[in-house]
Amino acid sequence: MHTQARKARRHSTIRSGPAVLAAAGLVIAGLTAAGTAAVAAPPPAPESSQQLAVQGADSLVAARPAFLLAGPQEQFVRGQVVSSGGTQYVPYERTYSGVPVVGGDFVVVTDGAGHVTYNSVAQQHAIGTLSTSPSLSPAQAEKVASAQLKSVSEVEGTRLVVYALGDAPAVLAWESTVKGVGDDGYSRLSVDVDARTGTVLHTQEHVLHGTGTGAWNGPAPLTLNTTSSGGKFTMSPTNITNMPCQDAANNTTFSKTTDTWGNGDATSKETGCVDAEYVAQGEFRMLSQWLGRNGMDGSGGAWPIRVGLADVNAYYDGTQVQVGHNNANQWISAVDVLAHEMGHGIDDHTPGGISGGGTQEFIADVYGASTEFFMNEPSPYAVPDFLVGNQVNLVGTGPIRNMYNPSLIKSNPNCYSSSIPSTEVHAAAGPGNHWFYLLAQGSNPPGGPTSPTCNGSTVTGGVGVQNALKIVYNAQLMKTSSSSYLKYRTWTLQAAKTLDPSCGQFNTVKAAWDAVSVPAQSGDPTCAATGNDFSMAVSPSAGSVNPGSSLTATVSTTLTNGSAQTVNLSASGLPAGATASFNPASVSTGGTSQLTVNTAASTPPGTYPVTITGTGTSTSHTATFSLTVNGTSTCTPAQLLGNAGFETGSAAPWTTTSGVVDNSASQAAHSGSWKAWMNGYGSAHTDSASQTVSIPAGCKATLSYWLHIDTAETTTTTQYDKLTVTVNGTTVASYSNLNKNTGYAQKTVDLSAYAGQTITLKFNGVEDSSLQTSFVIDDTAIQTS
């Protein structure tokens, strides 16, 4: 029960000066020419790995080490720290006499204790002394920029910059962004124009076109996270910020009075949106589960998806994803269309921006292929296959790209050469796609397909798709604006060394780059493991089986350091009625074993991540095999949450902080008299409510709850007070004072992926030091079907 004193504090309206700074979130620190902090960010807790990273990186940058090539007029602005697997990546931008420097960015890498382990710098030479007074006017620069397109519909803006990319001396420039039509159709182009001579120095296209697979995903029915309010459902997920699916004709979000979407007709825009949201929500889960990344933009969000582009294409332009059609007028919202385009957005929202030097399409293809493996759809849907566009005959020529042998399509290059950076960007993806396949699968994986190498070598083992993606992602976190194939070789080697100190993944990364002819670089790290160690992989990494049948895969071990050892194999995470055996059960490092998974007729359908563990004499390693059991499930519908409407007047079986379950009149219940009232103090406070339930195997499950948000905050831009909804620690929805509403809105989240598991559902509200926000929850449910 709430105390009267608590209710009185709910209406605090005073925000002191220090509280404003603390509540405003991260304030980026700028390091002055003297190396001191120009603007101080509120420090996180002393034990925070990110804060230790900030301290270590800022201290290094303040000392102005030689690798920064910094002059006395230069300042540095720190960006948001990104954590990945215990490693911290601290990005910085550079200014010269207050003018932004294009190509002045860099990244400082630290371990969890804040010790600097690596740096990545775009700039190749010192700026020196440079006048910041332009000869050209902004209007003259915009005229030059506009001439780079066939037609211009809008000039977004123009800013003065110092252009320092490449080998040439730095110059003052105007940077304009123009929208219109270019040689490849729709265009959103940034153009850097020499502010003295009017020469075009550089262009950056933000519309990144893609081609992909079929318009359907499956098997049906596809489950979607949608929003319900006032008796109307909208195709906008509650757990992902800014990712509605809309009609491209008018940018209107699809909505209706029922929560059943699409009709199976691939020419229907609504059906196209079903596929698009299904894929994007799957990629969002993959980013969280495989990479620990919070959404495509890194902050829990993405971009609107708009189906209905009148073109045989799809693209991302920095503000949206547009989905077009194939030659049969079917909307192409399949896995490696949406995941590819969202992959461009992920690339755009990691340090250094969109990858350059012909690498941007290969990076996006990596996210398309990885999402296919994560979602692991059965035939005839988006079966993981390292082909792009194989399910839909987009323009009548079959697949668009082949990752294991790029030369099979349009003679795209398998191997890197000095001409790749100037090659058409989709063809230039060939060497990178080839490298990713060799890294993940090896050149001759069991079950194929075999992949030729450019140097006649054999790439053995492969690290698996998930580990390969982790390596690419951690390389992106070291990316600068000078990115290229040569830089990605160095960055991926460093990422592999950090992720796997045994050097097993490092050696495979190196062998794969050598196999596609990307040459060694002077900045490449070396890796020397200590002690006896090994690496392990399962190939294929996924498979499907009918209940009562069996399947096989190959477990391979590779000695990475020291002397040979015996590795004992075991499996965990199998569904009910399934067993696993290994032949042989123990192998010497360098050997292989056949994994056989047998299922019973009663084994429930679903997809299960099976963990294969190899235990050696001094260390152990794991690999994941994704097991899909086919068939139609039988499930007894049930509502799983106890005290779902809090009407018992007590918390049990919920576990709550004090006073959350409430029947006061200050905030009305959605129904009945009781509800869960979280926060609302107007002072720093955390409230929570959690409950543990088991979701039966073979069931679909949907979490729903009614939420009312009342706030005294007046801002329309800053999230001061936040509510997160987590399942087993993974965020499935988040809200803030910006989501205030006058009544209750029902929220739904698909939990079918947790079938067969015991989960802990938790609502957690965090309020800052002033101006109350109340998060009021009622009539919860986890409904199975």
Side-chain angles (χ1 to χ4, degrees):
M1 183 78 66
H2 295 298
T3 66
Q4 187 60 39
R6 175 182 177 185
K7 294 188 178 90
R9 290 198 299 270
R10 289 186 180 274
H11 304 289
S12 170
T13 58
I14 299 173
R15 185 183 296 285
S16 65
V20 172
L21 180 61
L26 175 66
V27 179
I28 297 174
L31 299 179
T32 68
T36 58
V39 182
E47 67 274 10
S48 164
S49 294
Q50 288 199 352
Q51 174 61 11
L52 293 173
V54 165
Q55 293 171 356
D58 279 358
S59 177
L60 174 69
V61 173
R64 296 184 159 252
F67 67 77
L68 288 183
L69 302 169
Q73 303 302 315
E74 294 168 42
Q75 297 177 314
F76 307 106
V77 181
R78 171 168 35 88
Q80 182 176 355
V81 183
V82 181
S83 302
S84 180
T87 301
Q88 311 296 320
Y89 299 88
V90 190
Y92 293 84
E93 297 288 341
R94 185 185 311 235
T95 63
Y96 179 92
S97 296
V99 178
V101 178
V102 175
D105 54 304
F106 57 94
V107 180
V108 176
V109 184
T110 80
D111 60 19
H115 302 133
V116 175
T117 61
Y118 189 73
N119 67 80
S120 174
V121 182
Q123 198 165 299
Q124 300 177 27
H125 49 79
I127 294 175
T129 302
L130 186 69
S131 170
T132 56
S133 298
S135 300
L136 268 67
S137 68
Q140 290 173 309
E142 290 170 2
K143 184 177 181 180
V144 174
S146 297
Q148 307 310 304
L149 297 180
K150 291 180 177 179
S151 63
V152 173
S153 59
E154 178 186 352
V155 178
E156 285 190 8
T158 298
R159 65 171 185 163
L160 193 65
V161 300
V162 172
Y163 183 81
L165 270 177
D167 296 326
V171 297
L172 191 69
W174 289 107
E175 185 176 80
S176 301
T177 299
V178 292
K179 285 183 177 179
V181 177
D183 291 335
D184 294 326
Y186 302 99
S187 178
R188 182 171 175 260
L189 191 71
S190 291
V191 184
D192 292 290
V193 176
D194 191 314
R196 303 164 303 165
T197 66
T199 301
V200 175
L201 302 169
H202 179 255
T203 62
Q204 174 64 65
E205 180 59 75
H206 298 281
V207 174
L208 300 170
H209 296 277
T211 52
T213 71
W216 296 279
N217 297 279
L222 303 177
T223 55
L224 301 175
N225 185 330
T226 58
T227 297
S228 172
S229 180
K232 182 174 72 174
F233 295 89
T234 56
M235 202 177 293
S236 180
T238 59
N239 63 322
I240 306 174
T241 304
N242 194 31
M243 202 181 76
C245 197
Q246 302 176 332
D247 187 335
N250 51 23
N251 295 350
T252 300
T253 303
F254 281 90
S255 64
K256 59 198 310 184
T257 57
T258 66
D259 204 13
T260 302
W261 305 88
N263 58 9
D265 180 356
T267 64
S268 159
K269 290 182 182 179
E270 182 181 308
T271 299
C273 262
V274 169
D275 285 321
E277 279 289 346
Y278 179 71
V279 171
Q281 292 176 28
E283 186 170 20
F284 184 90
R285 294 194 302 274
M286 181 196 74
L287 295 176
S288 174
Q289 295 176 30
W290 281 12
L291 302 179
R293 181 177 175 88
N294 187 17
M296 288 72 159
D297 66 359
S299 298
W303 308 274
I305 303 168
R306 290 164 179 155
V307 174
L309 173 67
D311 197 358
V312 184
N313 211 337
Y315 68 78
Y316 161 86
D317 70 357
T319 65
Q320 62 180 331
V321 169
Q322 285 266 352
V323 179
H325 58 83
N326 62 13
N327 280 351
N329 290 318
Q330 298 168 321
W331 305 112
I332 54 174
S333 313
V335 174
D336 50 7
V337 173
L338 258 298
H340 173 103
E341 299 308 333
M342 289 292 181
H344 280 309
I346 297 165
D347 193 28
D348 199 10
H349 285 72
T350 50
I354 297 167
S355 295
T359 61
Q360 62 264 49
E361 294 299 325
F362 121 68
I363 291 294
D365 278 347
V366 162
Y367 282 95
S370 298
T371 305
E372 270 196 348
F373 274 84
F374 176 81
M375 298 184 74
N376 194 29
E377 297 181 14
S379 178
Y381 306 104
V383 177
D385 52 23
F386 292 101
L387 295 174
V388 181
N390 55 304
Q391 289 184 283
V392 165
N393 198 358
L394 190 73
V395 293
T397 58
I400 304 303
R401 286 188 292 282
N402 179 315
M403 298 181 76
Y404 59 84
N405 191 347
S407 65
L408 294 180
I409 298 177
K410 297 182 179 179
S411 299
N412 287 336
N414 279 12
C415 310
Y416 180 81
S417 68
S418 59
S419 65
I420 287 294
S422 58
T423 301
E424 190 276 327
V425 291
H426 295 88
N433 283 344
H434 191 192
W435 167 81
F436 185 76
Y437 180 83
L438 293 171
L439 173 63
Q441 303 293 90
S443 55
N444 190 21
T450 298
S451 178
T453 59
C454 305
N455 60 356
S457 65
T458 298
V459 180
T460 58
V463 302
V465 173
Q466 181 177 351
N467 285 331
L469 177 63
K470 285 182 180 178
I471 290 168
V472 171
Y473 175 64
N474 279 265
Q476 287 179 276
L477 298 181
M478 291 179 272
K479 171 166 53 72
T480 67
S481 55
S482 64
S483 55
S484 65
Y485 271 109
L486 305 182
K487 291 289 185 70
Y488 264 114
R489 175 184 170 113
T490 300
W491 293 333
T492 53
L493 285 169
Q494 181 63 36
K497 178 179 179 179
T498 301
L499 291 166
D500 176 22
S502 76
C503 301
Q505 293 185 10
F506 177 94
N507 293 333
T508 307
V509 170
K510 182 176 183 297
W513 282 126
D514 291 344
V516 300
S517 300
V518 174
Q521 300 298 298
S522 60
D524 285 354
T526 58
C527 190
T530 58
N532 295 338
D533 207 353
F534 66 96
S535 62
M536 188 173 69
V538 182
S539 181
S541 59
S544 60
V545 63
N546 292 324
S549 300
S550 62
L551 56 74
T552 61
T554 300
V555 180
S556 59
T557 61
T558 302
L559 180 67
T560 58
N561 195 63
S563 56
Q565 58 182 297
T566 298
V567 179
N568 298 311
L569 300 171
S570 61
S572 60
L574 291 158
T579 60
S581 61
F582 298 89
N583 185 22
S586 299
V587 296
S588 179
T589 43
T592 61
S593 175
Q594 179 174 282
L595 163 67
T596 300
V597 178
N598 293 290
T599 62
S602 59
T603 298
T607 297
Y608 306 90
V610 178
T611 299
I612 310 301
T613 301
T615 304
T617 56
S618 57
T619 186
S620 64
H621 293 282
T622 62
T624 299
F625 180 82
S626 181
L627 171 67
T628 297
V629 181
N630 303 322
T632 302
S633 65
T634 58
C635 179
T636 301
Q639 198 290 105
L640 304 180
L641 288 176
N643 195 15
F646 308 100
E647 292 301 319
T648 65
S650 62
W654 296 92
T655 299
T656 69
T657 50
S658 177
V660 164
V661 178
D662 175 90
N663 69 342
S664 66
S666 300
Q667 292 286 351
H670 174 256
S671 66
S673 302
W674 295 81
K675 73 279 181 183
W677 183 356
M678 307 178 72
N679 306 116
Y681 288 96
S683 60
H685 189 81
T686 298
D687 271 331
S688 66
S690 63
Q691 187 174 152
T692 299
V693 298
S694 295
I695 300 177
C699 284
K700 292 175 58 179
T702 301
L703 164 67
S704 63
Y705 49 94
W706 290 85
L707 175 64
H708 168 57
I709 302 175
D710 171 72
T711 185
E713 303 282 3
T714 58
T715 177
T716 59
T717 59
T718 305
Q719 298 182 14
Y720 288 124
D721 310 311
K722 297 181 181 179
L723 174 72
T724 56
V725 186
T726 61
V727 175
N728 288 351
T730 298
T731 300
V732 297
S734 59
Y735 311 94
S736 74
N737 49 281
L738 299 182
N739 303 115
K740 63 183 179 181
N741 53 350
T742 55
Y744 279 87
Q746 188 178 37
K747 310 295 184 181
T748 60
V749 180
D750 178 36
L751 300 184
S752 301
Y754 295 93
Q757 302 180 41
T758 298
I759 67 164
T760 298
L761 167 68
K762 183 177 183 179
F763 297 93
N764 194 73
V766 179
E767 190 173 19
D768 76 343
S769 58
S770 61
L771 292 178
Q772 73 88 21
T773 298
S774 296
F775 299 102
V776 190
I777 300 163
D778 201 0
D779 295 331
T780 64
I782 295 180
Q783 181 66 49
T784 61
S785 61

